[in-house]
Amino acid sequence: MRQELIDALKAGDKGLPRFKTDNTLGDYSRMFPAYDTQTDVKTKIMILSSNPKAYNLDKMLEFLSRYRSVFMFYFVGVDPGRIVNTVLVSMFQERLLRATIVLKHWAGRNSRGVTQFEGTTINDLVMNPESGINGDEARQFLRRVMTL
């Protein structure tokens, strides 16, 4: 899947390979012996400073409530005409978690809300990948979201 994305982005005129688009949490699911994963693929245009949408809080909590669940993001950094870098990170990666903005106003009724990321942090992660997770901050984030 990674190579298909890279090839399609390099070609520039083919478009991206097909993903499942059934409005679930991630674009790619895979089960491993020790854990189950969902990965959301995000293309980041590096010259733009936008704050991209991240995930629906209720869908994220539902997935993480399952035993052995791991939710990740696969960021594809793109500049005009080339792929800058790709990086796979946990939703709890320290810098990414700190750059997660919780928004209630975009959500419908009976929803905790949605999240978006500070775009500059994604640019930085694409250029300088890190995988560190602060367990205390991750637990605090989940507690805060569950009380919404």
mmCIF file of all heavy atoms in Angstrom, residues 43-80:
data_model
loop_
_atom_site.group_PDB
_atom_site.id
_atom_site.type_symbol
_atom_site.label_atom_id
_atom_site.label_comp_id
_atom_site.label_asym_id
_atom_site.label_seq_id
_atom_site.Cartn_x
_atom_site.Cartn_y
_atom_site.Cartn_z
ATOM 1 N N THR A 43 -2.490 12.915 3.732
ATOM 2 C CA THR A 43 -1.537 13.612 2.885
ATOM 3 C C THR A 43 -1.392 15.022 3.427
ATOM 4 O O THR A 43 -2.386 15.707 3.650
ATOM 5 C CB THR A 43 -2.029 13.660 1.431
ATOM 6 O OG1 THR A 43 -2.221 12.325 0.976
ATOM 7 C CG2 THR A 43 -1.031 14.358 0.533
ATOM 8 N N LYS A 44 -0.157 15.445 3.656
ATOM 9 C CA LYS A 44 0.101 16.798 4.164
ATOM 10 C C LYS A 44 0.855 17.576 3.094
ATOM 11 O O LYS A 44 1.980 17.236 2.743
ATOM 12 C CB LYS A 44 0.926 16.720 5.456
ATOM 13 C CG LYS A 44 1.317 18.078 6.022
ATOM 14 C CD LYS A 44 0.082 18.900 6.394
ATOM 15 C CE LYS A 44 0.434 20.183 7.092
ATOM 16 N NZ LYS A 44 0.390 21.356 6.245
ATOM 17 N N ILE A 45 0.209 18.600 2.566
ATOM 18 C CA ILE A 45 0.861 19.494 1.616
ATOM 19 C C ILE A 45 1.758 20.409 2.445
ATOM 20 O O ILE A 45 1.279 21.249 3.206
ATOM 21 C CB ILE A 45 -0.164 20.323 0.805
ATOM 22 C CG1 ILE A 45 -1.242 19.430 0.188
ATOM 23 C CG2 ILE A 45 0.548 21.178 -0.231
ATOM 24 C CD1 ILE A 45 -0.726 18.384 -0.766
ATOM 25 N N MET A 46 3.060 20.227 2.304
ATOM 26 C CA MET A 46 4.015 20.854 3.211
ATOM 27 C C MET A 46 4.069 22.377 3.086
ATOM 28 O O MET A 46 4.449 23.045 4.039
ATOM 29 C CB MET A 46 5.408 20.257 2.992
ATOM 30 C CG MET A 46 5.464 18.751 3.197
ATOM 31 S SD MET A 46 5.089 18.234 4.875
ATOM 32 C CE MET A 46 6.643 18.625 5.674
ATOM 33 N N ILE A 47 3.684 22.932 1.948
ATOM 34 C CA ILE A 47 3.745 24.386 1.781
ATOM 35 C C ILE A 47 2.512 25.085 2.347
ATOM 36 O O ILE A 47 2.469 26.307 2.394
ATOM 37 C CB ILE A 47 3.963 24.781 0.304
ATOM 38 C CG1 ILE A 47 2.818 24.267 -0.559
ATOM 39 C CG2 ILE A 47 5.316 24.305 -0.191
ATOM 40 C CD1 ILE A 47 2.852 24.754 -2.003
ATOM 41 N N LEU A 48 1.504 24.319 2.779
ATOM 42 C CA LEU A 48 0.294 24.902 3.364
ATOM 43 C C LEU A 48 0.356 24.801 4.884
ATOM 44 O O LEU A 48 0.883 23.845 5.432
ATOM 45 C CB LEU A 48 -0.955 24.184 2.849
ATOM 46 C CG LEU A 48 -1.187 24.226 1.343
ATOM 47 C CD1 LEU A 48 -2.449 23.450 0.986
ATOM 48 C CD2 LEU A 48 -1.287 25.657 0.858
ATOM 49 N N SER A 49 -0.224 25.772 5.555
ATOM 50 C CA SER A 49 -0.193 25.780 7.021
ATOM 51 C C SER A 49 -1.559 25.466 7.623
ATOM 52 O O SER A 49 -1.902 25.970 8.678
ATOM 53 C CB SER A 49 0.313 27.138 7.523
ATOM 54 O OG SER A 49 -0.562 28.160 7.095
ATOM 55 N N SER A 50 -2.326 24.644 6.955
ATOM 56 C CA SER A 50 -3.672 24.324 7.425
ATOM 57 C C SER A 50 -3.632 23.387 8.630
ATOM 58 O O SER A 50 -2.633 22.725 8.897
ATOM 59 C CB SER A 50 -4.466 23.669 6.296
ATOM 60 O OG SER A 50 -3.822 22.477 5.904
ATOM 61 N N ASN A 51 -4.740 23.340 9.355
ATOM 62 C CA ASN A 51 -4.928 22.425 10.470
ATOM 63 C C ASN A 51 -5.881 21.323 10.015
ATOM 64 O O ASN A 51 -7.091 21.488 10.065
ATOM 65 C CB ASN A 51 -5.524 23.145 11.681
ATOM 66 C CG ASN A 51 -4.549 24.111 12.317
ATOM 67 O OD1 ASN A 51 -3.371 24.122 12.005
ATOM 68 N ND2 ASN A 51 -5.043 24.930 13.212
ATOM 69 N N PRO A 52 -5.363 20.180 9.574
ATOM 70 C CA PRO A 52 -6.220 19.144 8.998
ATOM 71 C C PRO A 52 -7.087 18.417 10.020
ATOM 72 O O PRO A 52 -6.723 18.296 11.194
ATOM 73 C CB PRO A 52 -5.213 18.176 8.361
ATOM 74 C CG PRO A 52 -3.968 18.383 9.131
ATOM 75 C CD PRO A 52 -3.953 19.812 9.559
ATOM 76 N N LYS A 53 -8.224 17.939 9.539
ATOM 77 C CA LYS A 53 -9.121 17.118 10.348
ATOM 78 C C LYS A 53 -8.387 15.851 10.762
ATOM 79 O O LYS A 53 -7.612 15.290 9.993
ATOM 80 C CB LYS A 53 -10.360 16.771 9.523
ATOM 81 C CG LYS A 53 -11.349 15.924 10.256
ATOM 82 C CD LYS A 53 -12.512 15.565 9.343
ATOM 83 C CE LYS A 53 -13.056 14.248 9.816
ATOM 84 N NZ LYS A 53 -13.363 13.318 8.784
ATOM 85 N N ALA A 54 -8.651 15.387 11.980
ATOM 86 C CA ALA A 54 -7.982 14.181 12.471
ATOM 87 C C ALA A 54 -8.966 13.016 12.567
ATOM 88 O O ALA A 54 -8.959 12.132 11.727
ATOM 89 C CB ALA A 54 -7.311 14.450 13.806
ATOM 90 N N TYR A 55 -9.847 12.998 13.573
ATOM 91 C CA TYR A 55 -10.752 11.867 13.747
ATOM 92 C C TYR A 55 -11.961 12.266 14.580
ATOM 93 O O TYR A 55 -11.958 13.259 15.294
ATOM 94 C CB TYR A 55 -10.037 10.677 14.400
ATOM 95 C CG TYR A 55 -9.275 11.033 15.663
ATOM 96 C CD1 TYR A 55 -9.896 11.072 16.909
ATOM 97 C CD2 TYR A 55 -7.924 11.340 15.605
ATOM 98 C CE1 TYR A 55 -9.193 11.401 18.050
ATOM 99 C CE2 TYR A 55 -7.213 11.663 16.747
ATOM 100 C CZ TYR A 55 -7.850 11.695 17.959
ATOM 101 O OH TYR A 55 -7.159 12.033 19.093
ATOM 102 N N ASN A 56 -13.003 11.447 14.474
ATOM 103 C CA ASN A 56 -14.206 11.575 15.277
ATOM 104 C C ASN A 56 -13.935 10.938 16.636
ATOM 105 O O ASN A 56 -13.466 9.803 16.714
ATOM 106 C CB ASN A 56 -15.370 10.872 14.559
ATOM 107 C CG ASN A 56 -16.638 10.868 15.369
ATOM 108 O OD1 ASN A 56 -16.742 10.168 16.365
ATOM 109 N ND2 ASN A 56 -17.604 11.637 14.914
ATOM 110 N N LEU A 57 -14.192 11.655 17.706
ATOM 111 C CA LEU A 57 -13.871 11.168 19.053
ATOM 112 C C LEU A 57 -14.637 9.905 19.425
ATOM 113 O O LEU A 57 -14.070 8.994 20.028
ATOM 114 C CB LEU A 57 -14.138 12.263 20.089
ATOM 115 C CG LEU A 57 -13.199 13.457 20.010
ATOM 116 C CD1 LEU A 57 -13.716 14.608 20.856
ATOM 117 C CD2 LEU A 57 -11.789 13.068 20.406
ATOM 118 N N ASP A 58 -15.903 9.821 19.061
ATOM 119 C CA ASP A 58 -16.695 8.637 19.409
ATOM 120 C C ASP A 58 -16.186 7.393 18.682
ATOM 121 O O ASP A 58 -16.083 6.316 19.272
ATOM 122 C CB ASP A 58 -18.181 8.869 19.102
ATOM 123 C CG ASP A 58 -18.768 9.952 19.987
ATOM 124 O OD1 ASP A 58 -18.573 9.885 21.216
ATOM 125 O OD2 ASP A 58 -19.419 10.861 19.445
ATOM 126 N N LYS A 59 -15.843 7.543 17.404
ATOM 127 C CA LYS A 59 -15.299 6.404 16.650
ATOM 128 C C LYS A 59 -13.956 5.965 17.228
ATOM 129 O O LYS A 59 -13.667 4.773 17.328
ATOM 130 C CB LYS A 59 -15.148 6.753 15.173
ATOM 131 C CG LYS A 59 -16.467 6.864 14.452
ATOM 132 C CD LYS A 59 -16.259 7.239 13.010
ATOM 133 C CE LYS A 59 -17.591 7.424 12.311
ATOM 134 N NZ LYS A 59 -17.421 7.802 10.904
ATOM 135 N N MET A 60 -13.135 6.941 17.619
ATOM 136 C CA MET A 60 -11.842 6.623 18.199
ATOM 137 C C MET A 60 -12.012 5.875 19.523
ATOM 138 O O MET A 60 -11.379 4.849 19.755
ATOM 139 C CB MET A 60 -11.028 7.910 18.397
ATOM 140 C CG MET A 60 -9.658 7.705 19.035
ATOM 141 S SD MET A 60 -9.643 7.828 20.857
ATOM 142 C CE MET A 60 -10.209 9.491 21.138
ATOM 143 N N LEU A 61 -12.893 6.360 20.391
ATOM 144 C CA LEU A 61 -13.106 5.699 21.682
ATOM 145 C C LEU A 61 -13.690 4.302 21.507
ATOM 146 O O LEU A 61 -13.302 3.366 22.213
ATOM 147 C CB LEU A 61 -14.019 6.544 22.569
ATOM 148 C CG LEU A 61 -13.399 7.818 23.131
ATOM 149 C CD1 LEU A 61 -14.464 8.658 23.836
ATOM 150 C CD2 LEU A 61 -12.237 7.510 24.062
ATOM 151 N N GLU A 62 -14.598 4.158 20.555
ATOM 152 C CA GLU A 62 -15.180 2.833 20.298
ATOM 153 C C GLU A 62 -14.093 1.846 19.870
ATOM 154 O O GLU A 62 -14.026 0.719 20.351
ATOM 155 C CB GLU A 62 -16.256 2.930 19.221
ATOM 156 C CG GLU A 62 -16.880 1.593 18.892
ATOM 157 C CD GLU A 62 -17.892 1.680 17.759
ATOM 158 O OE1 GLU A 62 -18.247 2.786 17.330
ATOM 159 O OE2 GLU A 62 -18.327 0.601 17.301
ATOM 160 N N PHE A 63 -13.223 2.280 18.957
ATOM 161 C CA PHE A 63 -12.152 1.394 18.506
ATOM 162 C C PHE A 63 -11.185 1.074 19.641
ATOM 163 O O PHE A 63 -10.810 -0.082 19.848
ATOM 164 C CB PHE A 63 -11.400 2.010 17.324
ATOM 165 C CG PHE A 63 -10.209 1.200 16.911
ATOM 166 C CD1 PHE A 63 -10.371 -0.024 16.282
ATOM 167 C CD2 PHE A 63 -8.920 1.649 17.170
ATOM 168 C CE1 PHE A 63 -9.271 -0.792 15.916
ATOM 169 C CE2 PHE A 63 -7.815 0.893 16.807
ATOM 170 C CZ PHE A 63 -7.993 -0.331 16.175
ATOM 171 N N LEU A 64 -10.772 2.078 20.397
ATOM 172 C CA LEU A 64 -9.795 1.850 21.464
ATOM 173 C C LEU A 64 -10.367 1.061 22.639
ATOM 174 O O LEU A 64 -9.602 0.539 23.453
ATOM 175 C CB LEU A 64 -9.213 3.178 21.958
ATOM 176 C CG LEU A 64 -8.312 3.915 20.969
ATOM 177 C CD1 LEU A 64 -7.801 5.206 21.583
ATOM 178 C CD2 LEU A 64 -7.162 3.046 20.498
ATOM 179 N N SER A 65 -11.679 0.963 22.724
ATOM 180 C CA SER A 65 -12.280 0.170 23.802
ATOM 181 C C SER A 65 -12.115 -1.323 23.550
ATOM 182 O O SER A 65 -12.299 -2.133 24.450
ATOM 183 C CB SER A 65 -13.756 0.517 23.973
ATOM 184 O OG SER A 65 -14.513 0.022 22.874
ATOM 185 N N ARG A 66 -11.760 -1.683 22.331
ATOM 186 C CA ARG A 66 -11.531 -3.093 21.997
ATOM 187 C C ARG A 66 -10.165 -3.527 22.515
ATOM 188 O O ARG A 66 -9.197 -2.777 22.477
ATOM 189 C CB ARG A 66 -11.569 -3.311 20.487
ATOM 190 C CG ARG A 66 -12.877 -2.933 19.864
ATOM 191 C CD ARG A 66 -12.814 -3.152 18.373
ATOM 192 N NE ARG A 66 -13.830 -2.356 17.710
ATOM 193 C CZ ARG A 66 -13.808 -2.070 16.429
ATOM 194 N NH1 ARG A 66 -12.830 -2.500 15.667
ATOM 195 N NH2 ARG A 66 -14.767 -1.345 15.902
ATOM 196 N N TYR A 67 -10.115 -4.747 22.912
ATOM 197 C CA TYR A 67 -8.868 -5.339 23.387
ATOM 198 C C TYR A 67 -7.844 -5.345 22.255
ATOM 199 O O TYR A 67 -8.186 -5.626 21.111
ATOM 200 C CB TYR A 67 -9.167 -6.765 23.870
ATOM 201 C CG TYR A 67 -7.975 -7.509 24.396
ATOM 202 C CD1 TYR A 67 -7.333 -7.081 25.550
ATOM 203 C CD2 TYR A 67 -7.499 -8.628 23.736
ATOM 204 C CE1 TYR A 67 -6.239 -7.760 26.043
ATOM 205 C CE2 TYR A 67 -6.402 -9.321 24.220
ATOM 206 C CZ TYR A 67 -5.772 -8.879 25.363
ATOM 207 O OH TYR A 67 -4.678 -9.549 25.845
ATOM 208 N N ARG A 68 -6.626 -4.978 22.517
ATOM 209 C CA ARG A 68 -5.495 -5.066 21.588
ATOM 210 C C ARG A 68 -5.516 -4.008 20.480
ATOM 211 O O ARG A 68 -4.910 -4.182 19.443
ATOM 212 C CB ARG A 68 -5.425 -6.442 20.912
ATOM 213 C CG ARG A 68 -5.426 -7.614 21.790
ATOM 214 C CD ARG A 68 -5.670 -8.945 21.105
ATOM 215 N NE ARG A 68 -5.833 -8.924 19.675
ATOM 216 C CZ ARG A 68 -5.167 -9.683 18.827
ATOM 217 N NH1 ARG A 68 -4.295 -10.531 19.269
ATOM 218 N NH2 ARG A 68 -5.375 -9.619 17.532
ATOM 219 N N SER A 69 -6.194 -2.900 20.654
ATOM 220 C CA SER A 69 -6.345 -1.920 19.578
ATOM 221 C C SER A 69 -5.213 -0.890 19.576
ATOM 222 O O SER A 69 -4.763 -0.424 20.619
ATOM 223 C CB SER A 69 -7.687 -1.208 19.693
ATOM 224 O OG SER A 69 -7.812 -0.582 20.952
ATOM 225 N N VAL A 70 -4.770 -0.549 18.365
ATOM 226 C CA VAL A 70 -3.737 0.464 18.153
ATOM 227 C C VAL A 70 -4.193 1.338 16.983
ATOM 228 O O VAL A 70 -4.461 0.826 15.894
ATOM 229 C CB VAL A 70 -2.370 -0.182 17.816
ATOM 230 C CG1 VAL A 70 -1.323 0.885 17.532
ATOM 231 C CG2 VAL A 70 -1.914 -1.106 18.945
ATOM 232 N N PHE A 71 -4.267 2.643 17.221
ATOM 233 C CA PHE A 71 -4.683 3.580 16.171
ATOM 234 C C PHE A 71 -3.498 4.449 15.785
ATOM 235 O O PHE A 71 -2.838 5.034 16.640
ATOM 236 C CB PHE A 71 -5.854 4.436 16.660
ATOM 237 C CG PHE A 71 -6.369 5.416 15.637
ATOM 238 C CD1 PHE A 71 -6.608 5.024 14.330
ATOM 239 C CD2 PHE A 71 -6.634 6.717 15.984
ATOM 240 C CE1 PHE A 71 -7.093 5.929 13.381
ATOM 241 C CE2 PHE A 71 -7.121 7.619 15.057
ATOM 242 C CZ PHE A 71 -7.348 7.225 13.759
ATOM 243 N N MET A 72 -3.223 4.515 14.476
ATOM 244 C CA MET A 72 -2.046 5.236 13.989
ATOM 245 C C MET A 72 -2.404 6.149 12.818
ATOM 246 O O MET A 72 -3.473 6.021 12.226
ATOM 247 C CB MET A 72 -0.993 4.234 13.516
ATOM 248 C CG MET A 72 -0.504 3.302 14.595
ATOM 249 S SD MET A 72 0.645 2.059 13.970
ATOM 250 C CE MET A 72 -0.460 1.030 13.005
ATOM 251 N N PHE A 73 -1.471 7.026 12.519
ATOM 252 C CA PHE A 73 -1.558 7.887 11.342
ATOM 253 C C PHE A 73 -0.344 7.641 10.465
ATOM 254 O O PHE A 73 0.778 7.502 10.958
ATOM 255 C CB PHE A 73 -1.593 9.369 11.733
ATOM 256 C CG PHE A 73 -2.897 9.769 12.334
ATOM 257 C CD1 PHE A 73 -3.061 9.780 13.700
ATOM 258 C CD2 PHE A 73 -3.967 10.109 11.526
ATOM 259 C CE1 PHE A 73 -4.272 10.121 14.260
ATOM 260 C CE2 PHE A 73 -5.179 10.455 12.075
ATOM 261 C CZ PHE A 73 -5.334 10.464 13.442
ATOM 262 N N TYR A 74 -0.600 7.599 9.169
ATOM 263 C CA TYR A 74 0.473 7.503 8.183
ATOM 264 C C TYR A 74 0.446 8.815 7.414
ATOM 265 O O TYR A 74 -0.467 9.063 6.620
ATOM 266 C CB TYR A 74 0.238 6.311 7.250
ATOM 267 C CG TYR A 74 1.345 6.087 6.261
ATOM 268 C CD1 TYR A 74 2.603 5.659 6.670
ATOM 269 C CD2 TYR A 74 1.134 6.297 4.904
ATOM 270 C CE1 TYR A 74 3.622 5.450 5.757
ATOM 271 C CE2 TYR A 74 2.142 6.088 3.981
ATOM 272 C CZ TYR A 74 3.383 5.666 4.419
ATOM 273 O OH TYR A 74 4.392 5.459 3.515
ATOM 274 N N PHE A 75 1.398 9.689 7.716
ATOM 275 C CA PHE A 75 1.466 10.991 7.073
ATOM 276 C C PHE A 75 2.370 10.914 5.852
ATOM 277 O O PHE A 75 3.487 10.394 5.924
ATOM 278 C CB PHE A 75 2.004 12.057 8.032
ATOM 279 C CG PHE A 75 1.091 12.351 9.187
ATOM 280 C CD1 PHE A 75 1.457 12.024 10.482
ATOM 281 C CD2 PHE A 75 -0.140 12.954 8.975
ATOM 282 C CE1 PHE A 75 0.623 12.296 11.548
ATOM 283 C CE2 PHE A 75 -0.991 13.221 10.038
ATOM 284 C CZ PHE A 75 -0.606 12.892 11.330
ATOM 285 N N VAL A 76 1.864 11.438 4.735
ATOM 286 C CA VAL A 76 2.630 11.527 3.501
ATOM 287 C C VAL A 76 2.853 13.010 3.243
ATOM 288 O O VAL A 76 1.914 13.737 2.911
ATOM 289 C CB VAL A 76 1.882 10.882 2.306
ATOM 290 C CG1 VAL A 76 2.701 10.996 1.035
ATOM 291 C CG2 VAL A 76 1.522 9.436 2.611
ATOM 292 N N GLY A 77 4.077 13.474 3.463
ATOM 293 C CA GLY A 77 4.413 14.880 3.228
ATOM 294 C C GLY A 77 4.699 15.108 1.761
ATOM 295 O O GLY A 77 5.542 14.432 1.184
ATOM 296 N N VAL A 78 3.995 16.067 1.157
ATOM 297 C CA VAL A 78 4.108 16.319 -0.282
ATOM 298 C C VAL A 78 4.425 17.791 -0.524
ATOM 299 O O VAL A 78 3.785 18.676 0.036
ATOM 300 C CB VAL A 78 2.783 15.950 -1.003
ATOM 301 C CG1 VAL A 78 2.886 16.210 -2.491
ATOM 302 C CG2 VAL A 78 2.395 14.517 -0.716
ATOM 303 N N ASP A 79 5.441 18.026 -1.342
ATOM 304 C CA ASP A 79 5.734 19.351 -1.880
ATOM 305 C C ASP A 79 5.385 19.303 -3.361
ATOM 306 O O ASP A 79 5.258 18.217 -3.918
ATOM 307 C CB ASP A 79 7.222 19.681 -1.713
ATOM 308 C CG ASP A 79 7.505 20.479 -0.440
ATOM 309 O OD1 ASP A 79 6.551 21.037 0.136
ATOM 310 O OD2 ASP A 79 8.677 20.540 -0.034
ATOM 311 N N PRO A 80 5.258 20.435 -4.012
ATOM 312 C CA PRO A 80 4.955 20.386 -5.447
ATOM 313 C C PRO A 80 5.948 19.491 -6.192
ATOM 314 O O PRO A 80 7.153 19.705 -6.153
ATOM 315 C CB PRO A 80 5.080 21.850 -5.886
ATOM 316 C CG PRO A 80 4.753 22.629 -4.648
ATOM 317 C CD PRO A 80 5.329 21.814 -3.517
#
